[in-house]
Amino acid sequence: MAQIPSGLVSHTRKVCSLYKRGVRMLESYYSDRAKFRYQAVLLRDRFEKNRNIVDARVAKQLLLDGEEELFQKGHPQPRYFPESPEGIAFERFCTPPDSVLDYWDPIEKAQYPKFFAEREVLKKEYEAFYNKMYGETSEKTSKSDK
């Protein structure tokens, strides 16, 4: 049976997310790898000290305090991965539409005969599907559009 996603996130997942965001923030502050690793070990130790807390109210309060501390100590210019939504290379390269292949030279198409044969079959199937869904266009309409 497929897993149905829900909007609920467990406390454990929230803590893991907080830890990961904390480590990423430390990466922004410390460019020297040794200093960064030292601070990351200290951060991990802070999380490990509160690992076995059983009381849900105390655990939730610690999580909220951690979120607040992360917000207060956040880096003014955090590092982002280049391809991530905030990164410098986000959506830099666009994928050309499939219709570009219609303008290939026949010599170029001859290099990939199986692909273009299958593509022609799929185009005919799509055209039949389109005409079934929306009806065929008359020649008068298509000529008057030009």
Side-chain angles (χ1 to χ4, degrees):
M1 184 171 146
Q3 181 97 18
I4 299 173
S6 66
L8 302 175
V9 181
S10 69
H11 178 77
T12 306
R13 295 278 309 260
K14 290 178 184 178
V15 171
C16 289
S17 172
L18 176 65
Y19 173 72
K20 188 172 183 178
R21 287 182 286 143
V23 170
R24 292 290 180 207
M25 184 204 49
L26 289 175
E27 277 183 342
S28 298
Y29 274 110
Y30 300 101
S31 59
D32 181 28
R33 188 75 178 163
K35 291 178 184 176
F36 159 69
R37 285 304 306 152
Y38 178 73
Q39 293 298 325
V41 168
L42 294 178
L43 179 66
R44 179 63 187 224
D45 184 55
R46 288 178 64 189
F47 275 81
E48 288 293 330
K49 286 179 182 174
N50 298 318
R51 181 180 194 144
N52 297 323
I53 293 180
V54 180
D55 190 5
R57 290 177 295 160
V58 174
K60 182 170 182 161
Q61 187 59 44
L62 284 171
L63 179 67
L64 293 175
D65 293 344
E67 293 278 355
E68 180 64 26
E69 183 180 348
L70 182 70
F71 177 75
Q72 294 297 329
K73 293 184 176 180
H75 196 275
Q77 291 182 328
R79 277 191 192 165
Y80 296 112
F81 292 108
E83 303 289 332
S84 69
E86 297 88 1
I88 193 169
F90 180 65
E91 293 184 345
R92 179 176 288 178
F93 303 108
C94 64
T95 308
D98 187 55
S99 61
V100 171
L101 296 174
D102 291 333
Y103 298 104
W104 276 29
D105 191 71
I107 295 173
E108 293 175 321
K109 288 182 180 181
Q111 294 176 355
Y112 307 99
K114 287 174 67 176
F115 173 78
F116 281 100
E118 186 176 328
R119 186 170 180 277
E120 288 301 320
V121 171
L122 290 174
K123 280 173 52 178
K124 287 178 183 173
E125 287 177 6
Y126 180 75
E127 188 176 334
F129 169 75
Y130 184 87
N131 289 336
K132 180 181 160 192
M133 289 293 292
Y134 302 108
E136 295 190 31
T137 58
S138 65
E139 290 183 24
K140 291 179 183 178
T141 313
S142 60
K143 287 182 180 178
S144 65
D145 290 342
K146 293 180 181 178

